[in-house]
DNA sequence: TGCAACTTCCAAATAATATTGAAAGTATTG
DNA sequence: CAATACTTTCAATATTATTTGGAAGTTGCA
């Protein structure tokens, strides 16, 4: 496969992949463009590579910076800003995981913790508390695992896990 | 908190949570309704609990059955079908994980495997292959971990992982 | 077989989300 | 400080996803 075609496919696929997760298509495509670019890109570069508007490019670049997936870089003698993606895939995974954990998982764990104490003494209430408690236990465990696995040494964790579990 | 209020909150939250993942809001809400119902529900029950149309209820019930999160059940002497959610949270987690792995992760792993062989000898091509290879490695590991963790004994895995990694 | 009682499908309507582009804002330079 | 080069914002617009409701299909029973 030609390099150009490969990059294109990657950008499309990464965009679709992102879309299925909380990340929107453009944001994932901008990320993909930066990931496969050997040089940092300017806003204009991104606009023209992906055929998107200035506002869109800017918005998604900012969001990627929020997610710690992209950094602003300065080029000597250049006034405008350039952007480059974090290329260490373990760091990418860590940042995405932590962000989603914080935004989605943690609030759910908190809510389930409250719900498992809902009032009522009849069978229905007991069944509900059991379901809530089970879900709370499950989500807490997942949360704890993700916390641990993204705290310091992701690479070690995943390598260890894939060995231990062979 | 009152039981009724608790159930409502759960249905809303589970719906929003699902929305952030590949599952749409109604599907997640239907699932939540069934999860917290002590009795199996009919299509009509679901429609009125959530204020959604027949078509919508039906479509999402079917989708939940596809995902193995819900079963049809027959009630003696009743013609219409009733639906009940799988209540074992480990099974729920397993089924959701496997489904999303199959739909999203596996195709990405496959694509990255191809892309890491893209043509070209210059620095740009080499950098691209490196990025693709790194991502392929990462996604393969995650895929392998999920495969293992959902194959037979999820509970053991998560317990083990959360202990080992303490 | 024909008639309910129910389920499924699907085109059209609606709602939610993403994108645009021009205007406003901000920093840098001469 | 004014001109310039750029970034950010946001209301309008376009796109995409979801939901509806009625028509078509199925099933079981008298």
């Amino acid at each position: 496969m030609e390099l150009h075609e490969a990059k294109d496919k990657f950008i499309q696929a990464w965009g679709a992949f992102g879309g299925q997760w909380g990340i929107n298509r453009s944001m994932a495509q901008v990320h993909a463009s930066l990931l496969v670019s050997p040089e940092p890109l300017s806003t204009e570069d991104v606009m023209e590579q992906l055929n998107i508007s200035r506002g869109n490019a800017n918005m998604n670049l900012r969001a990627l910076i929020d997610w710690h997936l992209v950094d602003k870089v300065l080029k000597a003698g250049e006034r405008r800003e350039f952007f480059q993606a974090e290329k260490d895939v373990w760091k990418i995974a860590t940042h995405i995981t932590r962000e989603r954990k914080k935004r989605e998982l943690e609030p759910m764990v908190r809510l389930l913790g409250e719900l498992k104490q809902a009032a009522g003494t009849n069978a229905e209430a007991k069944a509900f508390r059991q379901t809530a408690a089970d879900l709370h236990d499950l989500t807490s465990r997942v949360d704890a695992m993700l916390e641990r696995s993204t705290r310091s040494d992701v690479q070690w964790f995943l390598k260890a896990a894939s060995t231990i579990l062979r």
Side-chain angles (χ1 to χ4, degrees), chain A:
Chain A
M1 198 186 312
E2 286 304 315
L3 181 61
H4 170 77
E5 186 194 351
K7 283 193 175 185
D8 248 38
K9 272 200 183 168
F10 175 67
I11 291 170
Q12 293 313 313
W14 199 244
F17 192 67
Q20 290 159 334
W21 296 71
I23 297 159
N24 83 43
R25 214 183 77 247
S26 290
M27 179 168 153
Q29 287 187 346
V30 171
H31 184 225
S33 291
L34 292 172
L35 257 186
V36 300
S37 164
E39 293 298 310
L41 302 179
S42 69
T43 302
E44 300 261 350
D45 294 335
V46 170
M47 287 167 62
E48 92 181 27
Q49 274 211 20
L50 300 176
N51 271 288
I52 61 177
S53 71
R54 180 173 303 285
N56 197 5
N58 180 263
M59 191 162 77
N60 286 306
L61 284 166
R62 270 190 305 121
L64 287 164
I65 291 169
D66 277 355
W67 283 60
H68 296 100
L69 296 175
V70 166
D71 292 322
K72 279 188 186 179
V73 297
L74 315 155
K75 275 197 186 174
E78 281 271 15
R79 176 123 153 221
R80 71 215 149 120
E81 295 168 337
F82 287 79
F83 301 90
Q84 89 186 335
E86 169 61 58
K87 302 250 170 142
D88 179 331
V89 294
W90 299 100
K91 286 191 185 164
I92 295 172
T94 297
H95 289 138
I96 293 176
T97 301
R98 292 191 79 87
E99 199 64 30
R100 302 207 71 202
K101 167 168 143 42
K102 186 175 76 192
R103 292 179 192 212
E104 295 150 27
L105 190 58
E106 289 172 13
M108 179 56 75
V109 172
R110 220 172 297 126
L111 176 67
L112 289 168
E114 288 170 33
L115 297 183
K116 74 181 185 184
Q117 297 167 33
T121 52
N122 59 13
E124 188 185 2
K126 281 182 188 156
F128 176 78
R129 279 198 296 272
Q130 185 63 53
T131 299
D134 288 348
L135 285 170
H136 184 250
D137 184 57
L138 173 69
T139 52
S140 297
R141 281 179 192 282
V142 171
D143 188 64
M145 186 178 88
L146 294 177
E147 175 63 26
R148 178 62 58 179
S149 71
T150 60
R151 181 111 67 190
S152 51
D153 197 341
V154 182
Q155 186 153 12
W156 173 81
F157 166 72
L158 284 172
K159 274 190 186 159
S162 65
T163 303
I164 290 166
L165 298 167
R166 185 164 317 276

